[in-house]
Amino acid sequence: MKVPFAELKTLHKELKGEILPKIEEVYNNGWFIAGENVNIFEQDFADYCNRKYCISCGNGLEALELSLLGNNIGIGDEVIVCSHTFIASALAISKTGATPVFVDPEMDYYLIDVNKIEEKITDKTKAIIAVQLYGQSCNMNEINKIAKKHNLIVLEDAAQAHGALYKNNKVGSLGDIAAFSFYPGKNLGALGDGGAIVTDDKEVANRIRELANYGSSIKYHHNYKGTNSRLDEIQAAILDVKLKKLDIMNAYRNKIAKRYLEEIDNEEVILPKVNPDNYHVWHIFAARVKERETFINYLKQNGIDTGIHYPIPIHKQKAYKEFNNQSYKNAEEIANTEVSLPLYYGMPDDKIDYVIDKINTYKKVYKKR
């Protein structure tokens, strides 16, 4: 049996009858940028996240960068971020001219260790990025408490956590501002790139909207040295269709994760944990295996695809050579052992059964080596 790591065909087949007419409608209208569909999606997504304002943009990286710039963060500033995350979390900081300051994750949930944040705060620190990694929220109560004490902005990097909850509150509504990616493989994904920022701060929202539009709110009048970062009409229309199904898709992912957590029985495989304060949406099912290459090859031989999120920590990347001599023990441990198991909307029971069976069989194979 072949089991892909992820696939979108099932979802897109189900939604074809709703999505294709929307694309045709945009095509026939002849209005492709900053039109009615963008306005509708921005309002719907703001409502979904329990926020007042949504500004859509070109992609998740730009959403993070614009969120920082919109809060006047730039050259000479420092921004705290977890050392275990996708590089975009740090790139956004660097692109503003600010400096990323890394904090190791804790090992239960692979999220920023709130007990290590304050020791990294200096008089240059302006913000904390709370990366809601793999589909569940950080300890936002503690992060917000620290931020309030030190007068810092809290930016949620929610690129992997559309629809997740923390203490029954939506991810995206938990800090001062939040950035999302709509890359096709996300829980809420476009048919191309896309991103969005949500906030309750009208002044910040207006600034970001100008920054994303060449620094302008009135044509040919430019208040900032802005950029061009926009979600197009077709993608907005597609996302609005998918948004209405997001909770159903997340529930399906939870069904698969529940089976993995309850039925995988292999002492060589460390299963992920769910913080009891969270509703996890399982963008990634991040297990850990000490002899990862052996495990991945075994699954590959049995037709099961896997992923690694992420094999090289940011502070060890060539792009961040200025941090190469630093050590973040937990981030390095996760980078060396993490294996992402197949999990996607529409994954059939027989494939779930097969993955569980082969992982449990690996226990016997491993012991015979």
Side-chain angles (χ1 to χ4, degrees):
M1 181 181 289
K2 294 289 185 181
V3 183
F5 173 66
E7 63 101 332
L8 298 171
K9 292 179 181 178
T10 301
L11 173 64
H12 290 160
K13 184 177 180 180
E14 286 183 13
L15 296 179
K16 185 176 180 179
E18 296 178 64
I19 287 177
L20 292 187
K22 287 289 186 180
I23 295 173
E24 185 175 14
E25 181 182 301
V26 174
Y27 184 87
N28 290 335
N29 285 344
W31 192 286
F32 304 110
I33 298 290
E36 181 183 3
N37 287 289
V38 168
N39 292 336
I40 290 171
F41 173 70
E42 287 184 345
Q43 186 59 61
D44 287 347
F45 194 63
D47 291 344
Y48 182 82
C49 294
N50 297 318
R51 285 298 205 184
K52 292 180 181 178
Y53 309 104
C54 171
I55 309 95
S56 58
C57 61
N59 56 62
L61 173 58
E62 290 171 356
L64 287 166
E65 182 186 0
L66 288 165
S67 296
L68 294 168
L69 291 172
N71 281 283
N72 297 313
I73 292 168
I75 295 171
D77 296 332
E78 294 178 350
V79 178
I80 288 172
V81 66
C82 190
S83 56
H84 175 62
T85 179
F86 182 53
I87 197 170
S89 306
L91 287 176
I93 301 168
S94 300
K95 285 170 69 64
T96 69
T99 300
V101 176
F102 297 112
V103 172
D104 224 10
E106 41 70 35
M107 291 302 289
D108 280 344
Y109 313 115
Y110 315 142
L111 302 167
I112 192 167
D113 189 336
V114 295
N115 297 310
K116 296 178 180 178
I117 291 176
E118 282 200 275
E119 65 191 48
K120 295 297 185 79
I121 294 174
T122 71
D123 58 0
K124 295 181 180 180
T125 308
K126 294 297 187 293
I128 302 169
I129 296 182
V131 183
Q132 317 292 38
L133 196 70
Y134 296 152
Q136 73 171 324
S137 174
C138 303
N139 184 341
M140 294 304 297
N141 278 4
E142 288 303 313
I143 290 174
N144 285 324
K145 190 184 299 182
I146 293 167
K148 185 176 181 180
K149 178 180 175 182
H150 296 277
N151 194 28
L152 306 177
I153 296 295
V154 175
L155 164 57
E156 294 180 72
D157 179 348
Q160 298 185 3
H162 314 70
L165 303 176
Y166 171 77
K167 294 182 181 289
N168 292 319
N169 294 306
K170 284 274 178 63
V171 159
S173 69
L174 304 171
D176 296 291
I177 192 165
F180 289 85
S181 165
F182 302 129
Y183 181 79
K186 302 298 186 184
N187 290 39
L188 179 62
L191 300 189
D193 268 323
I197 300 113
V198 294
T199 183
D200 289 334
D201 190 318
K202 185 177 182 179
E203 182 181 342
V204 170
N206 288 341
R207 188 181 302 123
I208 290 172
R209 196 173 291 282
E210 288 190 46
L211 285 165
N213 185 44
Y214 301 98
S216 170
S217 59
I218 301 172
K219 195 169 185 178
Y220 303 132
H221 293 255
H222 304 273
N223 297 319
Y224 307 101
K225 296 174 183 175
T227 188
N228 172 23
S229 181
R230 297 179 293 207
L231 184 71
D232 67 59
E233 281 285 288
I234 287 177
Q235 299 300 347
I238 291 165
L239 285 167
D240 206 56
V241 170
K242 287 188 171 185
L243 179 60
K244 294 173 176 61
K245 197 179 178 70
L246 178 56
D247 290 343
I248 294 171
M249 293 188 290
N250 285 340
Y252 196 101
R253 301 176 84 92
N254 262 276
K255 182 193 78 170
I256 300 168
K258 186 173 186 290
R259 287 203 57 196
Y260 281 171
L261 292 172
E262 292 178 352
E263 298 177 39
I264 291 176
D265 180 19
N266 186 325
E267 63 188 26
E268 306 299 334
V269 179
I270 300 170
L271 298 174
K273 297 180 180 179
V274 181
N275 186 322
D277 288 330
N278 287 339
Y279 174 70
H280 199 316
V281 294
W282 300 103
H283 176 62
I284 298 293
F285 190 94
R288 291 196 295 119
V289 181
K290 186 175 181 180
E291 294 195 22
R292 180 171 63 191
E293 187 176 349
T294 302
F295 180 72
I296 288 175
N297 286 339
Y298 164 78
L299 292 181
K300 187 176 182 180
Q301 290 165 10
N302 285 279
I304 300 171
D305 291 338
T306 55
I308 300 175
H309 298 83
Y310 302 93
I312 306 173
I314 298 171
H315 66 283
K316 295 299 183 184
Q317 296 283 354
K318 185 177 179 180
Y320 282 98
K321 59 185 177 183
E322 65 270 32
F323 296 103
N324 285 176
N325 64 343
Q326 294 184 7
S327 178
Y328 297 93
K329 181 181 176 182
N330 290 349
E332 291 161 21
E333 175 68 17
I334 297 166
N336 289 330
T337 58
E338 195 276 340
V339 182
S340 305
L341 301 184
L343 192 156
Y344 53 90
Y345 176 76
M347 186 175 180
D349 286 340
D350 62 339
K351 292 189 185 296
I352 301 168
D353 293 340
Y354 184 73
V355 171
I356 293 168
D357 177 67
K358 289 304 174 184
I359 291 176
N360 289 342
T361 303
Y362 172 76
K363 182 178 181 178
K364 299 173 184 176
V365 171
Y366 187 94
K367 288 300 181 184
K368 290 179 180 178
R369 287 175 63 241

